[in-house]
Amino acid sequence: MYLYFIISLIVILLDFASKEAILRTLNEGMLVEITPFFNLVYVFNPGVSFSMFSDAGPVILTVLSLFICAWIVYFIVKEKDGFSRSCLALMLGGAIGNVIDRLRFGAVVDFLDFHAFGYHWPAFNVADSAICIGVMLLIYQMTFVKKEEKK
């Protein structure tokens, strides 16, 4: 059981360390070209994914995020499958990483900027990546991996 909370803690620490590196290295709004398709940027996102609900305010989004974290913890404890628990642990670590930013800054620090052919994916961070990977793997498992029928 503790393994899954350790996974979450690792995500939180990686997210925090990467954001601290950006905060200490770049100025807000600054862009550093790394490759022809990838930049480091320093932006604050007051909303959730793609800046949705940015008008909701940090308090409402923080409370909602904490509720989601509690819901994920419930399912980590309830779930018996280790792979599903690992996916949930990635999601939990990412959610907590972004909650920490909301508590510190009232917004989330985003810094990974991918682009191609004049199109930019909205900037994101390690926490967002962990959430997306956890969700995608969980959907994959639920869709394509057959579970043994209960006897």
Side-chain angles (χ1 to χ4, degrees), residues 59-84:
V59 173
I60 291 172
L61 292 177
T62 301
V63 170
L64 178 62
S65 296
L66 289 171
F67 175 76
I68 291 168
C69 289
W71 181 76
I72 294 171
V73 167
Y74 169 78
F75 280 105
I76 289 173
V77 172
K78 182 180 178 218
E79 179 61 52
K80 301 297 181 217
D81 179 69
F83 186 80
S84 295

Side-chain angles (χ1 to χ4, degrees), residues 5 26 34 41 49 67 71 73 96 112 121 126 130 136 142-143:
F5 294 109
L26 303 180
I34 305 297
V41 297
S49 300
F67 175 76
W71 181 76
V73 167
I96 292 172
L112 300 171
W121 187 259
V126 172
M136 288 187 294
M142 292 168 64
T143 305

Side-chain angles (χ1 to χ4, degrees), residues 7 9 28 30 34 38 44 49 62 67 76 82 87 89 97 102 108 118 128 133:
I7 291 170
L9 180 61
E28 187 175 355
M30 190 172 172
I34 305 297
F38 173 64
F44 282 106
S49 300
T62 301
F67 175 76
I76 289 173
C87 295
R102 288 195 195 287
V108 173
D128 298 335
I133 291 167

